[in-house]
């Protein structure tokens, strides 16, 4: 089994403490661009697997959208509600699919950030993609962000996922080490999904125009001055830490 997000308070606390620097410089901006956030017709966004609510809050603050933020872990939803409430965010605990509070075709865009890698059962991943497809309106976009299966073992500025040189089977457990600002390390266990899994899952759920992005640091990146990425040549400049797969309903 991978990390037990649902029942482990220490995991929630550790993930809350993690400073998601490469994710917010490279990963989430690619998701927001893929979802066309900022376009006037994108008014409602589903954040599926919202965790402690960091990404939902950034979306609500930056864009004039309503966010429906859902997670399977009680503690995550508690943290999100307690620390990142916003008049345009609705946090919900999701105990099972379907998401009964969302009608067919009722959201304009949806994202799943670092959720598929938590799930070792491909059928459960397919069920999430199918449910997202149901709740999206025609033309709505779905973006899936995960760590990149082709850069396992690379030491990025705040994390390393998997062991260098090791070949992982589909769904196999993969150890992840997240550096925390306190100097300690949060150890998680993800599941390895080869890059082709993502377009296959989205296409299988009915999404069209499926594309993949692998952002690296470049001239247009907004690197916080003095941060761990503000160095001569961080790994993120040459090796893509993330894979972003986007499809259209
Ligand atoms: C690594 S955290 C990412 C949180 C957030 N998306 C972010 O990027 O900061 C993964 C989250 O996915 C949630 N999760 C895992 N499986 C889920 C499922 N089947 N349905 C909903 N949420 C799930 C976990 O509880 C956890 O909060």
């Amino acid at each position: 089994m991978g990390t037990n997000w649902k029942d482990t308070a220490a995991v929630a606390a550790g993930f809350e403490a993690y400073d998601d620097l490469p994710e917010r410089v490279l990963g989430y901006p690619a998701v927001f661009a893929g979802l066309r956030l900022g376009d006037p017709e994108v008014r409602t966004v589903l954040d599926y697997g919202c965790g402690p609510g960091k990404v939902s809050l950034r979306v609500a603050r930056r864009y004039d959208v309503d966010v429906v933020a859902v997670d399977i872990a009680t503690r995550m939803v508690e943290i999100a509600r307690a620390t990142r409430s916003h008049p345009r965010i609705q946090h919900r605990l999701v105990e099972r699919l379907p998401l009964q509070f969302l009608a067919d075709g009722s959201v304009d865009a949806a994202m799943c950030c670092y959720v598929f890698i938590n799930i070792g059962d491909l059928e459960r991943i397919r069920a999430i993609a199918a449910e997202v497809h149901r709740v999206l309106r025609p033309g709505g976009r779905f973006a899936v962000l995960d760590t990149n299966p082709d850069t396992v073992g690379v030491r990025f500025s705040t994390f390393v996922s998997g062991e260098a040189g090791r070949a992982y089977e589909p769904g196999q457990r993969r150890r992840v080490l997240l550096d925390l600002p306190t100097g300690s390390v949060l150890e998680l266990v993800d599941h390895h999904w080869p890059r082709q899994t993502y377009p296959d899952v989205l296409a299988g759920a009915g999404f069209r125009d499926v594309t993949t992005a692998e952002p690296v640091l470049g001239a247009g990146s907004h690197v916080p001055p003095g941060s761990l990425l503000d160095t001569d040549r961080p790994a993120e400049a040459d090796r893509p830490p993330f894979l972003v797969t986007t499809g259209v309903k």
Side-chain angles (χ1 to χ4, degrees):
M1 203 175 130
T3 297
N4 180 352
W5 289 88
K6 205 165 170 328
D7 304 311
T8 317
V11 171
F15 192 75
E16 165 67 0
Y18 174 64
D19 177 12
D20 58 359
L21 175 71
E23 293 83 354
R24 69 175 189 271
V25 171
L26 288 175
Y28 303 128
V31 169
F32 301 165
L35 297 181
R36 308 285 191 267
L37 300 188
D39 280 8
E41 63 269 24
V42 180
R43 308 281 312 159
T44 310
V45 179
L46 171 65
D47 182 1
Y48 189 95
C50 63
K54 298 176 188 178
V55 188
S56 296
L57 186 60
R58 288 175 195 142
V59 168
R61 282 185 172 158
R62 184 160 162 201
Y63 303 99
D64 185 19
V65 296
D66 293 318
V67 182
V68 182
V70 309
D71 202 281
I72 201 171
T74 310
R75 186 67 197 126
M76 286 298 195
V77 175
E78 284 172 358
I79 293 173
R81 284 182 180 145
T83 62
R84 299 190 180 85
S85 69
H86 185 283
R88 281 187 280 102
I89 302 178
Q90 192 190 131
H91 293 109
R92 294 242 186 193
L93 183 66
V94 48
E95 283 169 297
R96 66 189 66 81
L97 297 179
L99 303 172
Q100 282 170 335
F101 47 90
L102 288 177
D104 294 4
S106 59
V107 305
D108 300 313
M111 60 183 164
C112 238
C113 303
Y114 311 107
V115 177
F116 284 13
I117 44 167
N118 287 186
I119 301 173
D121 174 358
L122 195 53
E123 285 312 310
R124 287 189 65 205
I125 292 175
R126 289 192 178 118
I128 291 170
E131 178 62 0
V132 168
H133 191 270
R134 178 188 74 77
V135 303
L136 273 174
R137 63 149 162 88
R141 291 171 167 268
F142 179 33
V144 178
L145 166 63
D146 267 346
T147 42
N148 195 323
D150 294 338
T151 51
V152 290
V154 175
R155 179 7 99 182
F156 291 112
S157 55
T158 59
F159 75 90
V160 59
S161 178
E163 291 169 38
R166 183 165 166 191
Y168 290 85
E169 294 296 319
Q172 191 176 341
R173 289 154 47 101
R174 201 174 74 195
R175 194 170 72 135
V176 181
L177 303 175
L178 300 183
D179 300 334
L180 301 186
T182 52
S184 59
V185 172
L186 175 66
E187 184 174 332
L188 304 173
V189 179
D190 283 350
H191 295 273
H192 180 86
W193 294 111
R195 60 188 299 123
Q196 191 56 39
T197 306
Y198 295 87
D200 286 352
V201 165
L202 266 62
F207 289 95
R208 62 180 166 82
D209 300 339
V210 177
T211 57
T212 299
E214 296 177 273
V216 289
L217 278 188
S221 306
H222 296 289
V223 174
S227 71
L228 289 173
L229 286 176
D230 189 18
T231 58
D232 212 14
R233 195 119 195 116
E236 285 87 341
D238 299 309
R239 311 291 307 276
F242 309 119
L243 190 68
V244 184
T245 313
T246 309
V248 183
K249 177 169 173 180

